Amino acid sequence: MGDHGCSGNLPPGFIFSPSDEELILHFLDRKASLLPCHPDIIPDLGLYPQDPWQLEGRALWSENQWYYFSRVMENQATGNGFWKPLDIEEPIFSSSAGKKVGLKKYLVYCIGPEGVETNWMMQEYHLCSSKSSGKSYKRKQKLDCSKWILCRVYQREGSCSRSSNHSDDDDGTELSCLDEMFLSMDDLDDISFPN
């Protein structure tokens, strides 16, 4: 399979820039149907949600986006936060037949138990349950189509929203999402720091 952590499986000069329809029909549909995918460049990262910074070297990277297959999970918690659904769903239609072939859902990554939103976004691609690619795989796909998703993770432009408690005499220094999270913690007195 090679190194999925970059676009190194592609010939020089090629980039991975698929449309939503291509992600559904040429990658996710084949994965759920247990058919080989050529080229086999999108890795399967298993059952556990990933922190966005853990994707480097593990997921396919192209054009500042990471791609990977995962199983559908009810619990989107990671080691450092969770992926929060945004209640935004877009249907994906086949350009040739005009039929609905999939669905794209949006999630935002939140840090800590308080759920401080970051600028990390995920698009989850789901197959429609009625989608079938061939007679011989029709029964098997009905079993697997709801189990697999294809994930596209990226950072949206801009930074986290600034806190409203900054005064007008701000020195212009912007805080990172992690800085804002740590500053918002009110239990810092309970933390002991080494000398």
Side-chain angles (χ1 to χ4, degrees):
M1 276 192 174
D3 176 22
H4 290 296
C6 64
S7 55
N9 285 353
L10 301 174
F14 283 81
I15 59 171
F16 188 71
S17 185
S19 66
D20 292 344
E21 178 186 5
E22 291 168 336
L23 287 172
I24 292 287
L25 296 178
H26 297 290
F27 293 97
L28 185 55
D29 182 51
R30 296 188 70 78
K31 178 75 169 177
S33 300
L34 305 176
L35 295 171
C37 187
H38 300 290
D40 184 15
I41 57 174
I42 301 177
D44 176 356
L45 295 188
L47 294 171
Y48 305 103
Q50 306 289 314
D51 289 316
W53 51 86
Q54 293 176 321
L55 296 174
E56 189 168 341
R58 300 179 73 197
L60 171 67
W61 178 81
S62 183
E63 296 189 315
N64 296 321
Q65 299 176 4
W66 288 266
Y67 299 85
Y68 63 94
F69 290 113
S70 181
R71 296 282 187 159
V72 173
M73 296 161 282
E74 294 298 320
N75 182 2
Q76 295 281 357
T78 68
N80 297 293
F82 58 94
W83 288 99
K84 180 176 87 174
L86 293 177
D87 295 328
I88 301 172
E89 297 182 358
E90 294 178 9
I92 300 169
F93 295 94
S94 165
S95 59
S96 60
K99 292 182 179 178
K100 183 177 171 183
V101 294
L103 188 67
K104 179 169 56 172
K105 298 180 180 183
Y106 290 84
L107 298 93
V108 62
Y109 186 74
C110 299
I111 293 179
E114 302 85 21
V116 177
E117 286 189 9
T118 68
N119 59 344
W120 287 99
M121 298 293 297
M122 179 191 295
Q123 295 172 347
E124 279 186 351
Y125 292 87
H126 298 257
L127 287 171
C128 288
S129 58
S130 63
K131 172 82 178 87
S132 64
S133 60
K135 295 176 185 172
S136 63
Y137 293 96
K138 187 174 184 179
R139 183 173 178 202
K140 185 66 176 174
Q141 183 166 356
K142 284 188 178 182
L143 297 174
D144 281 355
C145 72
S146 63
K147 294 180 183 178
W148 287 104
I149 55 174
L150 194 153
C151 301
R152 175 191 284 168
V153 176
Y154 59 94
Q155 284 186 296
R156 57 184 166 189
E157 296 295 321
S159 61
C160 291
S161 59
R162 303 274 314 252
S163 298
S164 59
N165 61 356
H166 291 290
S167 62
D168 290 336
D169 60 339
D170 189 359
D171 64 358
T173 305
E174 288 196 28
L175 298 176
S176 70
C177 296
L178 287 174
D179 290 336
E180 287 186 18
M181 183 196 70
F182 289 125
L183 289 173
S184 68
M185 297 174 76
D186 56 2
D187 58 350
L188 288 178
D189 296 336
D190 299 336
I191 299 174
S192 62
F193 295 101
N195 293 341

